[in-house]
């Protein structure tokens, strides 16, 4: 979401997700100068979400952050998974249906149905689910987003508009490639031949990791340790190969690269994790 | 929801909503013998909802409650507003799509689309919003329910089935009337005439309070201090009268009862709050 900074560096941005001020710090590090979080809104207005209590604090929130609660919200950026869906959905909806982004105001019934949402909305990830040690996949940011879509649609009759970042969107792969190019520049070998680079994407989510890699022209390796656990390949987004786990993927890649070495085009093997 | 006890007193019931063990205590007081809460599930399986941490406890949860986490869920009852939407939606969905109610299991892709939800679901309240001191109405249990409906539909292609209690459903008014009859029995006056009782419902929500009262044959008074703040009467569920606030409503009722006193039918004036 770094690319949004040029547009919003002087705007008041509602940054959603993560624990405590983690995402505020990331947003400020990116260069956003005016950040406000749902947690800060809840701290100033406990009645904004009466079903959960504002966090008890040994040290009060910095006064300079609380000022932003009273300024109109100019954009909403979801940086990470929400830790309090009820509070965050409520504060996000409040901004979307407010008069010019000012929390605590709401458009008239007619305006809600005839005008666009009051602030633009950005999500950093589009996955519906992700896998952890629990035997069934867990809700990811995409599920949180569909809840907001439904609530917004019910109230206004209109479709929520937003921009998605993250896999499988090409912008994410382009960004990863720019980082790869910085870490391991493609260069001309001593033989004068431009070294060709093959990028292998290892992932567990066919709809995110594999779909994105295939679309961007990378080779894709689907592991069976995460979201995907079926037999064979995925029916909608087939990977270049399906392997048991990451170790198996690395073995597969090394074998393929060794085979290549015996052919004419020189290659190099490096691993990066995003 | 007391009426559900006869059916579920020996079942393992997932009780959702409220802070800490409040709703567990209400459910047990009603007569449910085997209760489990999302908080207890989270305590046993922290990975069930990794975006929020299980509550830190000075005293561990009672072992006898934790046993219920491992038993199949046989019904889900939402007693009160959720204090952790992400966790509660996840645990509820887990039960709905599980094999026979056992958390940590999930039906096959085909079964998800061709079979009904694994457990029946009950909500105590159908309001989409309610009003507090925040200038814009807040999410109520109905909004939480629509999120679950959307998530369930996205995963299974099927419509979530549930039973709604609370206003405007007649069952709630019938229950209120039974309580009124106990507190203030309708009786025959010294003149031998059966005293006629008029029930006035005062409420702020046209879709819940007023719709229900009108449907049940009670007089309805809509106040302007809550969810409804418009001019005139509500366009879909018009009340018997619209008044500024509760005090105004009481004045209106007293005036009406005094006028009645001057007519032939004796009446009596009592107030109860539900």
């Amino acid at each position: 979401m770094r690319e949004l900074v040029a547009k919003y560096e002087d705007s008041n941005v509602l940054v959603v997700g993560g624990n405590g001020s983690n995402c505020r710090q990331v947003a400020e590090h990116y260069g956003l100068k005016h950040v406000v979080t749902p947690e800060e809104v809840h701290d100033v207005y406990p009645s904004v979400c009466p079903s959960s209590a504002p966090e008890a604090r040994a040290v009060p929130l910095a006064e300079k952050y609380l000022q932003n609660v009273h300024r109109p919200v100019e954009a909403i950026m979801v940086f990470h998974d929400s830790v309090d869906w009820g509070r965050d959905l409520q504060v996000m909806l409040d901004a979307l249906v407010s008069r010019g982004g000012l929390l605590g105001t709401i458009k008239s019934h007619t305006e809600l149905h005839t005008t666009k949402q009051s602030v633009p909305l950005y999500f950093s990830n589009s996955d519906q689910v992700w896998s952890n040690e629990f035997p069934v996949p867990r809700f990811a940011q995409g599920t949180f987003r569909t809840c907001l879509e439904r609530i917004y649609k019910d109230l206004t009759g209109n479709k929520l508009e937003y921009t998605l970042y993250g896999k499988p969107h090409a912008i994410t792969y382009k960004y990863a490639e720019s980082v790869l190019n910085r870490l391991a520049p493609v260069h001309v070998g001593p033989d004068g031949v431009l070294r060709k680079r093959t990028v292998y994407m290892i992932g567990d989510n066919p709809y995110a990791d594999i779909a994105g890699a295939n679309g961007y022209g990378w080779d894709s390796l689907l592991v069976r340790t995460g979201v995907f656990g079926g037999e064979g390949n995925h029916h909608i987004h087939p990977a270049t190969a399906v392997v048991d786990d990451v170790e198996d993927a690395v073995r597969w890649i090394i074998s393929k690269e060794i085979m290549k070495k015996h052919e004419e085009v020189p290659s190099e093997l490096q691993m990066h994790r995003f």
Side-chain angles (χ1 to χ4, degrees), chain A:
Chain A
M1 294 176 126
R2 276 177 194 273
E3 72 159 28
L4 293 171
V5 173
K7 187 171 179 187
Y8 292 111
E9 60 181 338
D10 294 313
S11 304
N12 198 37
V13 178
L14 180 68
V15 169
V16 179
N19 278 301
S21 61
N22 288 357
C23 286
R24 158 182 278 283
Q25 285 165 19
V26 172
E28 288 175 340
H29 177 71
Y30 282 1
L32 294 175
K33 294 178 196 150
H34 306 285
V35 169
V36 59
T37 67
E39 189 179 6
E40 291 155 5
V41 175
H42 200 201
D43 199 80
V44 172
Y45 298 123
S47 62
V48 82
C49 178
S51 62
S52 66
E55 203 181 314
R57 297 177 195 288
V59 180
L61 290 172
E63 191 55 39
K64 63 173 175 171
Y65 299 146
L66 301 186
Q67 296 302 322
N68 294 342
V69 172
H70 307 287
R71 294 182 55 196
V73 172
E74 292 167 83
I76 304 173
M77 299 184 193
V78 182
F79 269 57
H80 196 39
D81 291 346
S82 166
V83 299
D84 186 339
W85 286 32
R87 177 194 69 192
D88 293 352
L89 290 170
Q90 179 75 75
V91 173
M92 291 166 79
L93 186 82
D94 282 343
L96 291 166
V97 301
S98 65
R99 295 188 170 278
L102 192 61
L103 297 173
T105 65
I106 186 166
K107 294 180 195 173
S108 72
H109 182 80
T110 308
E111 287 170 328
L112 284 174
H113 286 74
T114 55
T115 61
K116 289 202 165 201
Q117 66 201 50
S118 300
V119 290
L121 174 61
Y122 302 88
F123 289 94
S124 62
N125 185 298
S126 58
D127 293 3
Q128 292 292 323
V129 293
W130 65 285
S131 282
N132 64 358
E133 60 269 38
F134 199 75
V136 178
R138 305 292 81 198
F139 294 160
Q141 216 186 93
T143 302
F144 176 76
R145 188 188 75 236
T146 57
C147 291
L148 186 66
E149 287 184 81
R150 169 71 190 252
I151 296 169
Y152 184 78
K153 173 89 183 188
D154 282 353
L155 182 62
T156 67
N158 297 321
K159 196 174 175 307
L160 184 66
E161 293 178 5
Y162 49 81
T163 303
L164 289 179
Y165 288 84
K167 300 171 286 188
H169 303 281
I171 195 168
T172 302
Y173 290 79
K174 198 180 166 93
Y175 179 73
E177 188 166 54
S178 74
V179 176
L180 277 177
N181 285 340
R182 183 156 43 80
L183 294 171
V186 179
H187 58 273
V188 177
D191 50 3
V193 177
L194 184 69
R195 296 212 167 197
K196 184 179 179 299
R197 178 163 64 199
T198 306
V199 179
Y200 298 91
M201 170 87 190
I202 307 173
D204 72 318
N205 190 328
Y207 294 94
D209 309 324
I210 306 305
N214 293 349
Y216 200 69
W218 289 355
D219 282 9
S220 56
L221 289 158
L222 177 59
V223 295
R224 288 203 188 84
T225 44
V227 169
F228 178 78
E231 290 294 308
N233 212 324
H234 193 256
H235 58 299
I236 298 174
H237 300 292
T240 310
V242 181
V243 292
D244 283 340
D245 50 30
V246 172
E247 187 180 347
D248 202 15
V250 173
R251 286 184 203 284
W252 189 94
I253 292 166
I254 290 171
S255 302
K256 182 150 181 212
E257 287 293 320
I258 288 170
M259 284 193 297
K260 273 193 190 171
K261 286 271 187 220
H262 294 283
E263 299 169 16
E264 65 271 63
V265 184
S267 182
E268 60 187 299
L269 189 58
Q270 295 193 335
M271 288 183 65
H272 299 285
R273 182 176 174 173
F274 296 96

